[in-house]
Structures are given as C-alpha cells and as structure tokens.
Amino acid sequence: MSGPNTNYDPVEVSALDPANLDAAVEDAVAAIAAATSLDDLKAARIAHQGEKSPLALANREIGALPPSAKAEAGKRVGQARGRVGQALTVRQAELEAERDERILVEERVDVTVPALRRPTGARHPIELVAQRLVDAFVGMGWEVAEGPELESEWLNFDALNLGPDHPARQMQDTFFLDPVDSGLVLRTQTSPVQIRTMLEQEPPIYVVAPGKVFRTDDLDATHTPVFHQIECLAIDKGLTMAHLRGALDAFVRIMFGEETRTRVRANYFPFTEPSMETDFLCFACHGEETWGSAEPCRTCGGSGWIELGGSGMVNRKVLRTCGIDPDVYSGFAFGLGIERALQLRHGVQGMHDIVEGDVRFSQQFGMGV
Amino acid sequence: MRMPLSWLAEYTDLAPGARGADVAASLVRVGLEEEDLHGGDITGPLVVGRVLSFELEPQKNGKTIRWCTVDVGQNGQMLTEGKHQEIVCGAHNFEVGDLVVCVLPGAVLPGGFAIAARKTYGHVSNGMICAEDEIGLGHDHEGIIVLSRLLGEERAATLSPGDDAITLLGLADETVETNVTPDRGYCFSVRGLAREYWHAQGSPEGGYRDPADVATPAATAGGYAVELKDDSPIDGNDGCDRYVARIVRGIDPTRPSPPWMSKRLTQMGMRPISLAVDVTNYVMLAVGQPLHAFDVDRLSGSVVVRRARAGEMLTTLDDVERTLHTDDLLITDGGEQPLAIAGVMGGASSEVSDTTTDVLIEAAHFDPTTVARSSRRHRLITEASKRFERGVDPKVTAAAAQLAVDLLVEHGGGTVDDAVTDVDRRSERTAYRLDVTEPARIVGVDYPRERVVGILRDLGCVVEESGEGTDDTHVLVTPPSWRPDLVDAPDYAEEVARIDGYNNIPSITPTPSDGRGLTHAQKARRVVADALAGAGLTEVLSYPFVSEELADQLMLPADDDRRHAVRLANPLSEERPLLRTSVLASLVDTLRRNVARGRKDVAIYELGLVFRPGGAIGTAPIPGVAARPDAETLEQLYAAVPAQPRRAGILATGQAEQAGWWGPGRAADWSDMVAAVQTVAAALAVPVSVANDPGHAPWHPGRCARITLADGTLVGHAGELHPKVVAALELPARTVAAEFDVDVLVAASSEPVQARPFSTFPPAMTDIALLVGVDVAAADVETALRSGAGESLESVTLFDVYEGERIEAGHRSLAYRLTFRAPDRTLTTDEVNDFRDAAVAAAAAATGAVQR
C-alpha cells in the first residue's frame, strides 16, 4: 500500500491509473488465456485475482482516497476486476469441459469382454411347453387338475373302461407295484386325474391336467419310459363333438400357430365314444409321403402325418362310474404327449435330448418358450 | 392289416386311377389309419427270357456257376450290341429252353436295389435271372423262377421272350397296410377293408361284392362228431358258440399252392407253406375267419371243446410245451387229448404234414375274452388270436369253411364229404331302440333322419322304422353280425359321424364360466422353479428308477425313511427296481452324465414327486364300475396310494463363478446350496432358519445346513455331499447338494403377506466384534443379538469372520453391523449405544460371546 494520499488526486495514485489498470487486466486476460490446464488457471487466478494481485492491491488504494474520488476509482477497479473474473469463468468452463471430455476418453473400456460371471439358469422345455398350454386354457376359463403319479389300478384302468382283459393292463405296458396284487401302478396316462376330478367335483367341469406318465418302453428315438401328457376334460350340459373340435383347434393354434394343418378321423379309445384322432402334418418331412421308399421318414413312418393325440366324448360308462348322469351331462376329453408337442414346435428330433438331462438342451430355451 | 389293390378290386370298385396312397387316404377318412405301403416298387426292365444255352463253370469257392445266353427279345444287349443277353446265374433248377424272369441293367428291385452290368466270376453279367424273393413274389430262394412251373405249361406257352414281367406277375400291385383299431375286428380281412373302402367312396349301390356271400350246406347227420362242453364260461359267455367241421379227403399232398395264392400270401406278409395251410390262411385273410386244418388220420375220437384241466399240457405248433390253465379253452380229441388252444394255436400232434391227405377244416366262433386271456397267458399273439380277441363275424363261419373246402378240392384234387357238422349255439342279437336325433345331439351336426337311417343301412344294419317301439324319432336297429361293437347311441353316433365325415363336424370353442385361474400352490410352484433357474441353475428331468444299492451309497442310516422305497414288480432293469424316495437319488445320474460329456461346471435342479410309502404297501380295492363307488371304498382307494411329496433337488460341481478378466473364479461350495434354498424361500416371502446339521446323510457332517420354517417345520437340507458318498457315486470331488420339500414351502406361503410400515427417519449404524467359541453357530449369535437389541433394530449383518493368530485359539471373531431405526424420531447416540450394549449382553448370555 502506498502512503497516505495527501494531495487527494486519484490520478496520482499510480495503481489506480486507468492505464495501469488496463495493463493489469490485459496481463490477467493473457495469463488466463495461456492457461492450458485447470492447475495453470488456478495459478493465474491467484496471480490476477488473489489478495496480492495488482487489481486487489489497487482496490485497497481506494480506501485512502478522498470521498469525492472514491466512487470513480471504485467503478474503474470494479470494472477491471469484472473483466478478469469473466475471463476466468469462461476459461474455467472451457478447461473443465476439456477435462471431462478427456476423462471419458481415458475411462473407456472394452465392453465386449465377457460380462457374465455366473452362469444363467434355464427351465426344462417340457415344463415350459406344459405351462404355455396350461396358461392358454386357464385364460379361456379352464382350471388345472393334478393327481399322483403312483396311482391305483382302478383309477388308471377300470374307471376308464379299461377292463381287466384290456391289453394295456398287461405287464409289457404298465409298471406294476410289488406285490402285483397291491392294486397300484405307475399311471400310464394322465386320465386318472379326470376320474379323480369327476369323483370330487360337480359339473360343470373344465380342467386341464398336465403330468408325468410311465410305460414300460425302453428309451429310443421315439419312446421313453417316462414322459408327459396334458389332458383336457370338459363335462357340462349340451357339449358335443363340435365343442371337442373347438377346444382341440384352440389347443393346436396355441401350440403350433394358426397355419398348422391337421386332420381328424375316427379312432377307438375305451374311455370315449365316439372317439376322434387328430393328426398334424409331419414336421420332419412336411407331409411328403416317403413310405415304401428306401428311407421312409423316421419321424412319421412315411405317412406324412403324426398323431397329435386321442380324444372323444366321454364314454357314458365312465360318467356313470364317476356318479355323473349321462342323460343330463355330456363331455369330452383329449390328451397329447408333451414330448411330441415339443418336438413339433421346436424341431427336436429324437427323444434322448429331452430325457437325458444334458444341461445344454435346457439352456437353449432359457426361461420361457 | 394289409390289402393288395388287386384283391380289393375283386370285392369293390376302385376309384378310377386310384393308387395305393389314394386308397390309404380313403381309408383314413373312415377311421382306418395308414401304416405303410408295400410293393409296386419295381421299375423295369424286368422281362421274360428264354434260356438259349449255358456253360458250366466250376469256381474256386466250390460253386459251379452257369454262364448263360438268354433271349430277352428286343431288349438289353440286343439293342445295344446286337446279341443275346449274357448273364451269370448260380442256380441249377432250369434247362435250356426254359422261360425265366430276367432283370436287366437299369432296373431297380424292391428295397432300392439298382441293377447294372457287373463283373462277376470272370464275366460281365448283364443282369440277373430272378428268384421269387428277389422280386417280392415269395420267400423262395431255392432256385430261379421257371415260368412253366410258376404259371403252368399252358400259360407259359403263350409267352414270348421280351414280354414285360412286371405286368405278367402283377408286380405293379401295391399293398396298403392299415392300422386296425380294437373295435373293428372285421377289418382284419380284405372283406372288411373293402367294405370300408366302399363306404369311403359313398357306398355306391351294388359296388360291394361280399366274398362270404356263398352258398353253404346245412348241417347233416353223419358229420364229424363235435361236442361243445364249456362248463365254466367266462362272464356267462360260452367259450365256443359255433363250430363248423368239414372234411376233404384224398388231397394230393405234393400239389403246391397256386401261384396267385402264394403271391397274395406274400403280399400280406405271410409265408406260403403248403396247400392245406395256405388255404386256411388265405380264407382267413379274405373273410376274417381263422380256420384250423387237422389231419383226420391223426384224430381218433370226436372233437370236444372244453376248458383245460389243472396241470394239463400241450405242445403247440411252435414246439413249446405249455402248461394249460383252467381258463384255457381247448379243442380235444375225444375229450381227452388236447389238440389246440382254441382260437390261439394248434398242437403239434394233429398238425397237417407233407403226407396229409384227409383234412378236417375247423371254422369256429370263440369267445373274445377267452381267447384274449389265453393269448396273453401264453404270450402267444397269433393271426387267429388277434382276430378272435377283437370279434370275428359269427355268421361267416360256414362260408369260410366252404371257401376253404372249395380251394382244397380245386387245387389239391380232393373230394369233400357230403356230411357237414355245424353246431350252432349262437344267441340272437336284439334290436336297439335308437333315437334318430341322438347322433346330432352327440356330434353337433344336424343329421336328418334319412341320413342317419341311410348310413346305418349302408353299414349293414337292419333298421325298422315301423312297428312296436318305433315312432317319429325312434327306430329299431339291429347291427350287422360283424359289428359286435355297436351297442348304444354313442356307438351309432360315431358311425354316422364317421361315414358322413368327421371333417363335417364344426368347430365351436367351449366357453366355461367361473374359471378361478391357477391355485396358489400351482403359482407358487412356478415361483420355485423360476427362482432356481433365476439363481443360475438349469432344470433337468430324471427317471425315478433307482437301484437297491443306492441307499447304502447315500449312507442312509438303517432306520431312515428314505430306505423305505416302493418296488416295481416289473422294472425295466433289474438293477433299478425301486422308485426314488428323494430327488437327489436320481439327479446324481444326470450330474454324472453331464460331467461324463466333458462339462466341468454343472448346476442343475429338478422338481418332482418322490415316493414315500408310510409303511407296508397296502392293497387298493378294485371296485366295480357300474356306478360310483361308495364313500368308504373311495376313501380306501385314495388311502392306499402312497404319499408322493413334491421335492426339489439341486446338485452343483465346478465353478459357481467363472475366472475371467476380473480375476479368479469361485468354486461352487456348500453356501451356494444354502443360498439357493434361501433364494426360493425369499421368492415365496417365507422366512426360514438355518442350523448346522451334523448327522444328515448324504451330506458332509460338518457342512450340512438344516433349513426350517419359523415354526420349526423341516424344509430341507443343503451343503456339501459326504466325501464317501461322492466316492461311492463317482461324483466329482466336493459336489454340493440341496433337497427341500416344495409342498412345505408352498403351504407356508399361502397366507397373504402382511405389509409392515417402515420408518423414513435416518438409520444409525454401529459395528461390533464378538469373540465366540468355534462351536458357536453364527445363526445362534444373530438370534441372540436380535432378541437383545430391541424393537429399533432394523438389520444385523455379519460382515466379517476371523479365525487366526490374533485371537485366542478355539475362538473366532464375528463382526456385525447393527442398524437401528425408530419409526418416529432420529435415534440419539446414547440410545443406540444402549441398544448395542443390550444386544451384546444377550449374545454374551446365550453364546458366551465377548465383545472385543
């Protein structure tokens, strides 16, 4: 600080001299512009805006001026400081933007390196296909019925009009429990669930029953001793084969899409009369008849068609066995193998992949199909 | 059942230009599923040839071949080289001048066997002289076909070298094979299939010619004595209600079957044997009536049909000595010596032989159930048993016998006895009173009365539209004799729908009301499955069949429930006769298979039923089916079915987290299994507790968690498998596993979750380190901390466990972060310290913990 201002002439205080102030500002602006980093700018800020900067020193001189001169000097210094402050702000923003930009560049990584540290899981597609069908039918107002896999012979056979002499009851088809006279078998079909439902519920009944079933077949390309069926049963007043076809069509559409080609024909099943069989076009040969040729289609055997599953109007005998009056109620039932639906829908060629539990098989399907 | 088109065309008119596939498609429309197509698969040139000369050429292998020159007309080498065909032939049953069948280069024989000129035995053979089996004509491969022997001198004289042999021998004839359902026994005959084909063509008037429509003589005195003596009919049905016996004498046993018959039998998939046998088979195929031919000279008494006596034996035609059952129906000689199991198979003693001249033809009608039981009991499924079991037309009996007699006389040179035996005990079928509107009600198609009546008449039913019992809507229907399956309205409805066309049935989507969606349990089980998959596990399915040794391999204690398994009477493999009592029991196979296929990191799970008999296997009643069983019987029925809880099994080996750019991986360990169960419990919002379980097989005693519900109900176990179990089952070292009861978790989740309010005031956290004995379970320390900390405790987190030099031996240090929060205010430091001290005091009291 200079000494006391004795002559009251602001001009005489060199620090407040306009030219000097301008020079200080120019110095400051030049230094700010020259700063290429935020650290440089910090140094420039201290040098030109700090307590010991020329403008700060000039500012202190104002206090010693006579009151008449204070205003003008104050204004002059204020403007000068404002210009420096402005330059600092602008440069600060520029350098910060540069820095931010640079950090983003420096922090770049290769995001194509593996990211999954833990394996992803998957559901088994048999379960997913069953779930899909169940959901569609539940959406149409049906409910899901269930029953045990180890089942009484009566529920699995007799009640379904499969009498003691029916071929399916033989040991070459059915797993019997030891002792054989225990009256217990591994269910050969999901149909005992129908019987349980009819015994336990009053009509109207609209149920879908998915589940595991068992037959004494060795595993090969088309057979497995343990497989899955899904079965639908409807009992109500006035149901006809037209309703059966409607339900079957819905089933086929849900599973295989609108374009699926099917055909229906008469067939025989003890638990239905009339009975009906639905076939769909072979997914492997697309309906090209290959029988008699050197290599008949292994999927359909050469006919070009694959059985979707049996169906029909519930046999009156079965209704009576379940205590339902066949003169009041009628109903229909149909079922199909889920393995087969999976094969058709997803092009699974053999049975081995479905049953062997190789995780690669399930993993193709993820959590939903 | 097979049917050559040429045979079909005898009984009905083929649609113009119809090929095998068209006939199959027609039959499908009326409910007979196509099974296969045979024949018609030879492409020429296959021609008649005349052997001009041959040279005998002995070969090193001991054979002598014939190097032949054959005139094949304007074919083959005559066209290309201007000379007769040169062919090597191994057969010796022909002479120069014989007419034979030659296949020339360019032809394709059945099975895709392409013929080309080929070097053999030092010559270029330009084709082959054919044997019967090579062109699908028969099974004979004794020598080549000599046409004068096959077709007769007369016919052969009309042939010239170069004639097309495909046409000549009917080799273009296709054979359709269909699948016959059990209710349509009559379709096990060309007669029945032709009838169905005729229906498929719209049943045109006069378009069906019934081969059984032949004149038959009535029974006479003096026929071979036959007695029907069934003293224990099954379900009140006589084992035999009709028996026709006809005798043809003086047959020349050396006379072969006519070629057309041999060919048809071959087309039908049967092997021609001798005239007498071939005739019985041919007639059976034609009209569906199984016949049996007895050698009259080997019979001594009357034919007596009776049930077998206990301990009786019979050696059947297949040379198997069989012990008979008292349910077996027998044909016996004089009531003593068994000759045949009725409708199943004849005995060796009365078999026709190559010296038989006098034949007794049996055409009988046997009870389906009797035949079915005998067939199964003796594991003998024969052409006869297949037909009787499904029902043979009881009216065709006499006609079938007549057809057989006629063929034997014509081709065997025999004469038929005038005396005819026909024991007929059939009961009349009664008419069914059909409501003609019923088919419409069942099928959903508005069939007019005339359509219903017309279809039933086409099918062979007698329909009475007037008289007692008939009115505007009712008619009396008597089904044809070959349709025992037509009993009541749904049967007739199916026939009407079938003949009218199943494709005419409209599609109406049923619209149930009141559907309540999935039950809680059904939804919750999906949550379980999805949570496990979401936790990185892969769902698999395994067969539930396990070995007897498995219980030992799993180290299950002697009194463990899981040793109590259900046993199958007829397992697929004797090595796996038991049903699993835990999911892990079968899941270990799946893990091993994945590892064997070269996968090191496997984490799998399965949800499924296990079979847990609660004691001795009971006996499930088998009540009648005429009406609903009474409540008590139903109760017994349900109770006899063993418990089948739904469980989840989990197995993992290898890396739970992969090594990678982030650093090393982490091996799957016991904690992953505990976490998996906790993940599922959390997904269902069910609180569970974890405790150390030192004694639960098959887990490692020091690495097994017992997981329970808040009320102590066991959920399951998780941890590392016992090293001995791992070794016994040949699993990778340190395999980890969990198994839990899905039903228990699902039931625990059934109450709606009640939401708790939570505080928006700031939390206060404080850390403590507790020194405890190594035997003290962290879960117990946490429980004590929670009990002492008071209501403001929000969470307890164990963030460090230290065991080592810096602390007293036999101890470890557990570092917890306690978080407190009050619902209504910010807690003060003093308050938090008080809560903390109370928590530590509780832990000290319960577990001996000392704060460090």
Side-chain angles (χ1 to χ4, degrees), chain A residues 114 146 165 275 321 356, chain B residues 373 494 525 593 597 625 661:
Chain A
E146 293 157 327
D165 290 308
S275 301
T321 306
E356 282 177 346
Chain B
R373 287 193 189 172
E494 177 174 282
R525 290 204 298 260
R593 183 173 302 123
R597 290 184 180 179
V625 293
W661 56 269

Side-chain angles (χ1 to χ4, degrees), chain A residues 319-333:
Chain A
L319 292 177
R320 276 188 212 107
T321 306
C322 297
I324 293 173
D325 185 348
D327 293 326
V328 177
Y329 291 101
S330 61
F332 61 81

